[in-house]
Amino acid sequence: MRIIAASLFAATAFSAPAAAQDMADAEIRTECLNQRLCVLFGPGGNVAVHHGQDGNVMIDDKYAPLAPKLLTAMREVSDAPLEFVINTHYHGDHTGGNEQMTVAGGKVLAHENVRARIEAELAEEDAAGEGSAEGWMKLPVITFDSSVDLYWNGEQIDIVHVHHAHTDGDAIVWLRGSKVVHMGDTYFKDATWPYIDLAAGGSIDGVIAAVRGVLDGIGEDWTVIPGHGPIATHADLHAYHDMLVAIRAGVAEGVAAGESLEAVQARDLTAPYEVGEGFITRAKFIEAVYKSLRGETDYSPR
């Protein structure tokens, strides 16, 4: 299996310094999957816009500095008002635009753990004297526990929580009529090695379960939107699943044998897969899997 890196992702994903970069030259590229659903690519997570007579639904909203460009790109797709924003998880490259989307009229919807984690970040900013009176507008105003369904623009949009996957607040967004699923960062395609945020409740087993669950729920005619990277197919996602399972098995053997992290990394379990280093290197991915299997959470992606 060959997976080629996307250079833009490596420079921009996740990190606070990246989010603070001047993105004046950043471009938003639009790819429409059908007459009511388009994907907006650029720095940060992939954004989907579902449009129609009921108004626009946005899935994720990238970094805060990109919000004006994101709104412009949305309005080029549809001049209908923004009604809802769905956050697939809490990371800033997927929720950074929440405040400006709220100002634009969007009601932010996310798993309850997303709201809790953004609240904690806002509290830290306030304690450091860096908060603002408008900070509350970053928060989801609609939350759910296991799932919530949105019937909008003639589409059944099912938003389903997956437990302890990329984080503890991930949501898979199913657009049933369109046969499209947005997976957030439970799936990276042609971008980087997987990022499992152990400190935020992520786990390798949860990621595998999330991917397996999507595979079980779609056919070969479905389209998959990853959190980062180009549009994918059922076959692409299946290859990703098989890679995760194979590498987990290899790391588990080392853990069972009492091998050190360094010894497991030295076995080069990632060699069969050509994935760009991106934001997460081979070594850091193996570290995340190793620590996840040992129940450890002291992991930094850098």
Side-chain angles (χ1 to χ4, degrees):
M1 174 175 60
R2 293 180 59 82
I3 303 177
I4 309 302
S7 59
L8 183 61
F9 175 87
T12 58
F14 305 115
S15 64
Q21 289 175 353
D22 179 4
M23 295 188 180
D25 296 328
E27 296 183 357
I28 303 296
R29 180 178 65 84
T30 301
E31 179 179 341
C32 292
L33 304 181
N34 57 40
Q35 292 184 342
R36 57 186 177 186
L37 182 63
C38 299
V39 182
L40 309 182
F41 297 95
N46 290 337
V47 172
V49 175
H50 193 281
H51 57 95
Q53 63 182 8
D54 295 332
N56 295 335
V57 177
M58 183 178 289
I59 305 173
D60 287 339
D61 54 26
K62 295 187 178 292
Y63 293 113
L66 286 175
K69 291 187 176 185
L70 200 58
L71 285 167
T72 296
M74 180 196 74
R75 288 163 182 152
E76 290 173 351
V77 168
S78 169
D79 60 4
L82 177 62
E83 298 289 350
F84 293 99
V85 177
I86 301 168
N87 292 156
T88 61
H89 62 289
Y90 86 100
H91 286 150
D93 60 323
H94 294 256
T95 65
N98 279 6
E99 182 175 338
Q100 293 179 69
M101 299 306 157
T102 297
V103 172
K107 293 167 282 293
V108 181
L109 184 160
H111 186 262
E112 58 192 23
N113 289 345
V114 173
R115 180 178 172 97
R117 290 196 176 278
I118 295 177
E119 279 183 320
E121 290 179 342
L122 292 173
E124 290 179 3
E125 291 175 2
D126 287 342
E130 300 171 352
S132 70
E134 294 77 28
W136 66 270
M137 288 192 287
K138 298 178 182 178
L139 292 167
V141 296
I142 305 169
T143 63
F144 64 95
D145 179 7
S146 58
S147 67
V148 63
D149 299 334
L150 181 64
Y151 295 86
W152 205 256
N153 293 326
E155 182 97 59
Q156 179 180 340
I157 303 174
D158 298 338
I159 307 150
V160 181
H161 176 52
V162 287
H163 301 279
H164 298 290
H166 172 60
T167 68
D168 61 5
D170 298 290
I172 306 293
V173 184
W174 302 79
L175 299 116
R176 300 289 183 182
S178 296
K179 292 188 176 180
V180 174
V181 59
H182 192 312
M183 295 185 63
D185 283 0
T186 62
Y187 178 32
F188 298 89
K189 183 177 187 296
D190 301 353
T192 185
W193 290 95
Y195 174 30
I196 305 172
D197 192 344
L198 301 181
S203 72
I204 181 59
D205 288 336
V207 171
I208 292 173
V211 175
R212 182 71 260 170
V214 172
L215 285 171
D216 289 344
I218 66 174
E220 294 183 1
D221 58 341
W222 277 62
T223 299
V224 182
I225 304 173
H228 297 267
I231 299 301
T233 65
H234 180 280
D236 293 327
L237 186 62
H238 205 295
Y240 187 75
H241 170 269
D242 291 350
M243 178 190 75
L244 293 174
V245 170
I247 291 176
R248 183 211 181 278
V251 174
E253 289 179 4
V255 171
E259 293 182 8
S260 67
L261 170 60
E262 292 73 21
V264 174
Q265 288 170 325
R267 286 202 280 117
D268 203 11
L269 296 168
T270 58
Y273 312 99
E274 294 188 16
V275 177
E277 291 294 88
F279 177 71
I280 304 294
T281 65
R282 296 170 182 264
K284 293 302 292 187
F285 174 50
I286 294 299
E287 180 185 346
V289 176
Y290 181 90
K291 289 185 172 180
S292 178
L293 293 176
R294 287 167 54 91
E296 301 174 11
T297 59
D298 60 329
Y299 171 76
S300 171
R302 289 296 194 185

